[in-house]
């Protein structure tokens, strides 16, 4: 994370001191580094140099329009999972011809929307969804481009909530059933087979399961070709992990190398759907210590960000480094703190047992919060969602203003 560094004891994002952002926009606030986002995209492009491949950023990781727009300008496509994400990508200037529509339960309306704008492909996850898409396309006088998401029954060895390649999960169709389903798809007038899709999980640090999945996809493509069913692309999904506390994680090139080795010499275009590895290390959550509380057993630092802002620790027991943004004005001694939010749940923590020298009013940065941070935030406890700021060199751009309390209930009405 070269664009996040201490200078004279003060944490900077690129050339901007986080203290200045807090003073201008308040806390909690998500802060992103444009250069880090650019580096992440570039890392994929470089790793895929000379390969016929398209990077389709998984919008769910962070769907802020400014971030989508940045990736669209770089030439990225997008992996979406809802009509809402489709609308965002289009507003942000994404090319419909580079959109993949994933997800286990697309509605008819979402299918129609995707067809209308001419997306690149629908990733289909069941026989029933396939029939439904055929009907919708046929009724609209269209042929929907499809790939089947196959479930290769591979253990991605990640947190069970974000592991998707095992037979026991809801995702994809069993790879053994895929051939028969492709035959059926080939008969349906509303469908045009274009690819094969596979995504086995998220925060993967070992590329071996991904390479194993790629091998199964290749085997299926050859089997289909022998049966006269040709596909134009192979979609290997996303999943590459980032560093949260690990000392060493593979670079994009190191992670992709064994996968690309399996795919070497193929004629199909390759698709990748990275989310976390494009944005995760590019963002942090800036928060201020409201209260220090010394309980019977533990010390708590109650901060103004909470599980509604960053749900990952509560949901997955995920680790995010938490660092002090400056030395602080008040001298304090190092103690062990749970860093908790003001929400009424014991699961409302951002970090546990952290050694920090804290005083009330100190600013903290919760690191590597660019992916699945703001995107998974909520208004629980009627808390307005945080502001989002993008730093670009010495420039600061507010890319989402803080929500107003009145917006939280603007859509509600009293009984007559
Ligand atoms: N493609 C599909 C079909 C997916 O379901 C996902 C993520 C991705 C691509 C992007 O995966 P990535 O490159 O980000 O690993 N909320 C969890 C992560 C959930 C991932 C869901 N699917 C977390 O905070 O760790």
């Amino acid at each position: 994370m070269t664009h996040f560094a201490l200078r004279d004891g003060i944490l900077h994002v690129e050339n901007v001191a986080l203290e200045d952002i807090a003073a201008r926009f308040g806390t909690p606030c998500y802060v992103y580094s444009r250069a880090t986002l650019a580096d992440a995209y570039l890392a994929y492009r470089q790793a895929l140099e000379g390969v016929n491949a398209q990077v389709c950023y998984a919008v769910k990781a962070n769907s802020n329009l400014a971030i989508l727009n940045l990736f669209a300008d770089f030439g990225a496509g997008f992996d979406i999972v809802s009509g809402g994400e489709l609308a965002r990508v289009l507003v942000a200037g994404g090319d419909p011809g580079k959109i993949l529509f994933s997800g286990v339960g697309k509605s008819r309306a979402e299918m129609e929307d995707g067809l209308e704008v001419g997306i690149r492909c629908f990733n289909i996850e069941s026989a029933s969804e396939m029939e439904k898409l055929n009907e919708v396309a046929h009724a609209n006088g269209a042929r929907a481009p499809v790939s089947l998401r196959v479930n290769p029954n591979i253990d991605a060895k990640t947190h069970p909530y974000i592991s998707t390649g095992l037979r026991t999960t809801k995702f994809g169709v069993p790879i053994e059933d895929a051939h028969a389903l492709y035959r059926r798809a080939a008969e349906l007038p509303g469908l045009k087979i274009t690819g094969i899709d596979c995504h086995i999980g998220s925060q993967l640090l070992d590329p071996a399961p991904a390479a194993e999945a790629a091998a199964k996809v290749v085997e299926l493509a050859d089997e289909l070709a022998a049966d006269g069913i040709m596909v134009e692309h192979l979609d290997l999904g996303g999943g590459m992990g980032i560093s949260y506390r690990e000392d060493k994680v593979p670079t994009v090139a190191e992670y992709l190398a064994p996968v690309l080795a399996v795919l070497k010499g193929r004629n199909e275009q390759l698709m990748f759907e990275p989310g976390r590895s494009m944005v995760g290390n590019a963002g942090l959550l800036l928060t201020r210590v409201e209260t220090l509380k010394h309980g019977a057993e533990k010390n708590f630092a109650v901060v103004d960000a909470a599980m509604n802002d960053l749900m990952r620790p509560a949901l997955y027991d995920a680790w995010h480094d938490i660092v002090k943004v400056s030395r602080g004005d008040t001298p304090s001694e190092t103690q062990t703190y749970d860093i908790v939010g003001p929400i009424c749940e014991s699961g409302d923590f951002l970090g546990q047992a952290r050694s920090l020298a804290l005083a009330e009013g100190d600013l903290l940065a919760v690191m590597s919060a660019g992916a699945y941070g703001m995107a998974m935030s909520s208004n629980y406890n009627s808390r307005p969602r945080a502001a989002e700021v993008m730093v670009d060199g010495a420039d600061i751009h507010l890319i989402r203003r803080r929500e107003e309390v009145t917006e939280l209930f603007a859509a509600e009405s009293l009984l007559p």
Side-chain angles (χ1 to χ4, degrees), residues 211-253:
E212 203 187 322
K216 290 202 179 187
V217 167
V218 162
E219 202 182 312
L220 176 62
D222 289 343
E223 209 182 297
L224 292 177
D227 198 15
I229 300 173
M230 312 305 284
V231 298
E232 295 161 11
H233 74 254
L234 304 178
D235 177 352
L236 291 312
M240 193 191 126
I242 61 167
S243 167
Y244 286 105
R245 68 187 301 192
E246 298 77 8
D247 292 339
K248 176 123 180 67
V249 302
T251 61
V252 173

Side-chain angles (χ1 to χ4, degrees), residues 63-84:
S63 53
N64 184 287
L65 293 183
I67 291 178
L68 301 182
N69 175 252
L70 192 70
F71 289 146
D73 281 354
F74 291 155
F78 296 91
D79 171 60
I80 60 165
V81 290
S82 70

Side-chain angles (χ1 to χ4, degrees), residues 25-169:
F25 301 104
T27 51
C29 180
Y30 275 97
V31 184
Y32 307 105
S33 151
R34 186 189 183 281
T36 309
L37 294 166
D39 286 352
Y41 182 73
L42 200 66
Y44 272 94
R45 288 290 12 140
Q46 283 172 349
L48 295 168
E49 184 108 52
V51 180
N52 177 16
Q54 174 68 54
V55 174
C56 293
Y57 167 63
V59 174
K60 62 169 81 75
N62 188 320
S63 53
N64 184 287
L65 293 183
I67 291 178
L68 301 182
N69 175 252
L70 192 70
F71 289 146
D73 281 354
F74 291 155
F78 296 91
D79 171 60
I80 60 165
V81 290
S82 70
E85 288 190 351
L86 176 60
R88 279 181 176 273
V89 169
L90 297 176
V91 168
D95 176 354
K98 295 183 188 169
I99 294 177
L100 307 173
F101 203 147
S102 297
V104 73
K106 298 166 206 70
S107 70
R108 282 174 197 269
E110 287 174 325
M111 291 172 176
E112 273 168 9
D113 290 349
L115 284 170
E116 199 182 321
V117 300
I119 64 164
R120 171 69 190 260
C121 187
F122 289 89
N123 291 337
I124 293 299
E125 299 219 19
S126 65
S128 163
E129 190 187 28
M130 187 169 97
E131 301 290 334
K132 200 194 276 183
L133 180 60
N134 171 55
E135 279 167 32
V136 171
H138 200 51
N140 286 278
R143 283 184 81 190
V146 292
S147 69
L148 279 179
R149 175 168 175 182
V150 295
N151 183 325
N153 197 27
I154 288 172
D155 187 352
K157 300 195 178 69
T158 183
H159 190 289
Y161 288 6
I162 52 175
S163 187
T164 54
L166 281 173
R167 211 187 287 279
T168 45
T169 70

Side-chain angles (χ1 to χ4, degrees), residues 44 56 58 60-61 79 81 102-103 123 125 149 161-162 164 171 197 199 201-204 237-241 244 273-278 312 315-316 318 371-373 376:
Y44 272 94
C56 293
K60 62 169 81 75
D79 171 60
V81 290
S102 297
N123 291 337
E125 299 219 19
R149 175 168 175 182
Y161 288 6
I162 52 175
T164 54
F171 296 101
D197 170 41
H199 169 81
S202 195
Q203 185 53 17
L204 312 188
M240 193 191 126
Y244 286 105
E273 304 170 353
R276 190 190 314 266
S277 51
M278 296 269 281
R312 303 192 69 256
L315 195 57
Y316 315 115
Y372 306 109
M376 288 171 71

Side-chain angles (χ1 to χ4, degrees), residues 262-285:
V262 170
L263 297 159
K264 201 168 162 61
R266 301 295 304 184
N267 290 322
E268 300 92 345
Q269 184 177 26
L270 305 184
M271 300 282 189
F272 294 92
E273 304 170 353
R276 190 190 314 266
S277 51
M278 296 269 281
V279 291
N281 288 146
L284 58 78
L285 175 60

